[in-house]
Amino acid sequence: MEQQAFHHALKIRHDVCTGCSHCMKVCPTEALRVHGGKALLYPVWCIDCGECHRVCPTRAIVVEDDDFKDIFRYRRRILLIPSIFIGQFGATVSRREIMDILLHLGFTDVREAEHSVDFLIDEINRYLQTHEKPVISSFCPAVTRLIQIRFPALVDHVLRLKQPLEVTTEYFRQWYARQGVDPADVGIFYLTPCAAKIASIKAPVGDYASPIDGVINMNYMYNRVLQERGKELPATTHETQVSARGMTWSLTGGEVRHIDGKGLAIDGIENVVEFLERIENDEISGVDYLELRACDESCSGGILTPYNRFLAAECIRLNAQAQASANDAIDEYRQYLSGAIDVGQIRPRSMVKYDLDITKALQKMEKARELKRALPGVDCGACGAPSCEALAEDIVRGQAAVEHCIFIQTRSEKQGLLPQEQAIKIMEKIWGKEKIDECAIRDEEMKTYQTERHIIK
Amino acid sequence: MQLTFHVQGGDFTRAGDASSQVKKTLKQLNIDPSVTKRVVVALYEAEVNIVAHAHRGVITADIDPVRILLRLEDEGPGIPDIELAMQRGFSTASAEVREMGFGAGMGLPNILENADRFHIDSVVGKGTTLTIAVNLQPCP
């Protein structure tokens, strides 16, 4: 049960954050709090799902990607694009035009990230024959991290094969070497639709280093394509090499329909959590493969995708109809990468809620239960914690005080146990002095809103 | 620490609530996942037994640093032949219960398999009390 720092692609900009607490309410691992008027992250509990980024009204939660200029450190600059990217433009920009622009912007080659899917399907089906069911797909890095943290008993069910992006990268590294390109000249960059993929590249789960050199934010590249659109650009040659199966792999149901046996596809982090609870309880049997994705509509709902997720998915499905059913390179994949895509051990990253020592943990838990009974149970979040239960846990861990609860505060004031100035100070400590001062309404205005009906004297 | 749950006979929609709560508690205590799983499986089977066979029951879970002690006391028909009930595949569950995917005759044998100590007390026409203990430290 390790407690170490992990690389996170999501960062909170405290100069922009207003401490509105929207993020705190949606975090599936309760990793966020509000303190000093700012959102605070417990990094060990974060799974990089990006739900906080999605709801942040001030864009204070940012994704740490690589600088685009980094690509020019390499002579051969290869961009791996997921099929989701083409789906972002609907019918407004053609695939041909998108490719021309990407090459014009500085890449020397553009390749499809799902190029390796046909090979991977065979490898997964072989893996299924020898591993305990259900096997849980490791395609979505946020789900893998969710399992490590919230469902440690299930880590052995997670598929221990590299994912299309990594297998494709390794294939092309070898391919360029075979073409006589100096490996030191080759830089492979991934255009990402989400933060979780960045975390998985910077800090892979398992015992291997990522073969990818850098990550480019899809939102950024979307804007660049639109800015360059319509300019006279030299025409380039680019053949689409991804199969129909590869193109639809990242959509909901994209994996399960090619898997031998009974598979289930579930998208949306809350749906995934609910299902994993049942799997953990051994309540579900007869399922061989689980495709679990953190985002609604899978990668087309990624936090860095600008287009409507349903329309993007539809666009990709239509595009896929024109593609071959399998990739020509599958034999080369078999020759060079068969049996070489294992990720090694995946370890649990359990949340230490109370203490590593069970005697102390039991004492603290007992106290937290007692506290929770004293708290109002409305989960209002005014204390700066996402729920009454979370506040109780924070208190026994020494990270919060019982007076942080607005109900307890009101009661203490009523009983004369807490001076008003003290109560104000507590609220200012949680929400920031500014936020309390901002709530000022002029006295005369205040009167118009205060009616006899609403004020109990 | 003690947790208490009330179980209503025939309410299959809520079968598993007690085992889910106990699971959550053991996870928060960082109990080894393999041990937690054994506790959850044993408790779930016993909980479903109350729902499927009895009128009502009370579950208590006593947790100390060494072991978890589960006590499931129900008011119900009781078990006339405990030895027979312990046999794999033996079941007195009704056709309706079987249709819902329960009543395969694996409940009690499954509990025995996952418990470190297991005891059944039953009085026909009155009810059944199961006592299940699981050591919280995994076997070396």
Side-chain angles (χ1 to χ4, degrees), chain B residues 28-99:
Chain B
Q28 291 187 346
L29 291 169
N30 288 304
I31 300 300
D32 187 277
S34 66
V35 175
T36 301
K37 191 171 174 184
R38 283 170 48 217
V39 174
V40 171
V41 169
L43 179 55
Y44 181 71
E45 296 286 5
E47 195 180 349
V48 168
N49 275 347
I50 299 180
V51 175
H53 299 286
H55 310 309
R56 68 190 66 81
V58 179
I59 300 175
T60 55
D62 239 305
I63 306 169
D64 70 27
V66 180
R67 55 107 190 93
I68 178 166
L69 188 65
L70 303 165
R71 200 178 140 87
L72 299 96
E73 202 172 349
D74 75 43
E75 291 167 39
I79 307 171
D81 186 340
I82 292 176
E83 215 172 295
L84 188 60
M86 286 301 296
Q87 282 177 20
R88 287 183 173 275
F90 177 82
S91 176
T92 59
S94 65
E96 289 89 346
V97 168
R98 283 166 194 260
E99 243 167 54

Side-chain angles (χ1 to χ4, degrees), chain A residues 376 380 382-383 402-411 413 427:
Chain A
C380 65
C383 59
V402 72
E403 294 88 359
H404 289 187
C405 172
I406 191 87
F407 289 80
I408 300 270
Q409 239 182 65
T410 308
R411 194 182 143 83
E413 278 185 86
M427 290 320 267

Side-chain angles (χ1 to χ4, degrees), chain A residues 139-178:
Chain A
F139 177 80
C140 176
V143 169
T144 303
R145 283 159 176 72
L146 175 75
I147 292 170
Q148 284 182 290
I149 289 189
R150 273 188 67 175
F151 302 94
L154 298 177
V155 286
D156 291 339
H157 286 266
V158 177
L159 178 72
R160 288 198 307 272
L161 295 181
K162 288 181 188 165
Q163 287 306 304
L165 167 64
E166 295 157 329
V167 180
T168 301
T169 305
E170 287 188 3
Y171 169 82
F172 278 111
R173 281 210 182 280
Q174 296 182 11
W175 188 85
Y176 284 105
R178 289 200 296 277

Side-chain angles (χ1 to χ4, degrees), chain A residues 19 27 32 124 191 261 319 340 420 436:
Chain A
C27 178
L32 286 155
I124 295 173
L191 187 55
N319 284 345
Q420 195 189 35
I436 309 288

